[in-house]
Amino acid sequence: QVQFVESGGGLVQPGGSLRLSCAASGKIFSIYSMGWYRQAPGKQRDLVATITSRFNTTYADAVKGRFTISRDNTKDIVYLQMNSLKPEDTAVYFCNGVARNLGGIYNPLFDSWGQGTQVTVSS
């Protein structure tokens, strides 16, 4: 079972930037596609970005052009660089392995989630 520890969140003004990190335990990290999710208060957890083991990426429309997902398989870490942040980006951010189903939709691989890292965008 892989476990995840997210970090790097904080309070930032609109237009600012943050870089989130997700450290994964387990020696087979490099074979998984990875995803960043976020959950705002009272809302469902949404997928915002994915990266495959071959470094192909996808982004939700809401973050496209502003967020960049990357990974370092030598350190078992996946990153989310967030630029031009908006108040609507405020949420707790989580990572997990992901897999695409027959319909092409990414689903989380593991039932166990980390504690997440809080991102608050406010002036």
Side-chain angles (χ1 to χ4, degrees):
Q1 185 77 350
V2 180
Q3 294 182 328
F4 307 102
V5 178
E6 301 90 351
S7 62
L11 173 64
V12 63
Q13 292 186 341
S17 298
L18 283 173
R19 188 194 195 200
L20 307 184
S21 299
C22 167
S25 65
K27 299 299 183 182
I28 54 175
F29 168 83
S30 62
I31 72 170
Y32 291 122
S33 295
M34 294 294 298
W36 279 99
Y37 291 79
R38 67 185 182 187
Q39 187 169 20
K43 296 188 177 181
Q44 68 180 16
R45 190 173 297 176
D46 292 326
L47 182 63
V48 296
T50 67
I51 185 167
T52 69
S53 59
R54 296 186 177 185
F55 304 96
N56 296 312
T57 59
T58 67
Y59 298 93
D61 288 343
V63 306
K64 200 170 294 183
R66 300 188 297 120
F67 290 11
T68 303
I69 188 171
S70 60
R71 65 191 296 165
D72 185 340
N73 289 340
T74 67
K75 299 180 179 179
D76 291 351
I77 295 179
V78 60
Y79 301 99
L80 187 67
Q81 177 67 42
M82 306 187 298
N83 299 327
S84 303
L85 282 162
K86 304 176 180 180
E88 51 263 43
D89 295 319
T90 295
V92 180
Y93 285 71
F94 303 86
C95 67
N96 204 323
V98 293
R100 189 175 288 189
N101 63 19
L102 293 177
I105 303 300
Y106 277 109
N107 290 312
L109 273 176
F110 303 104
D111 294 332
S112 178
W113 294 81
Q115 291 188 330
T117 185
Q118 175 71 49
V119 172
T120 303
V121 185
S122 176
S123 55

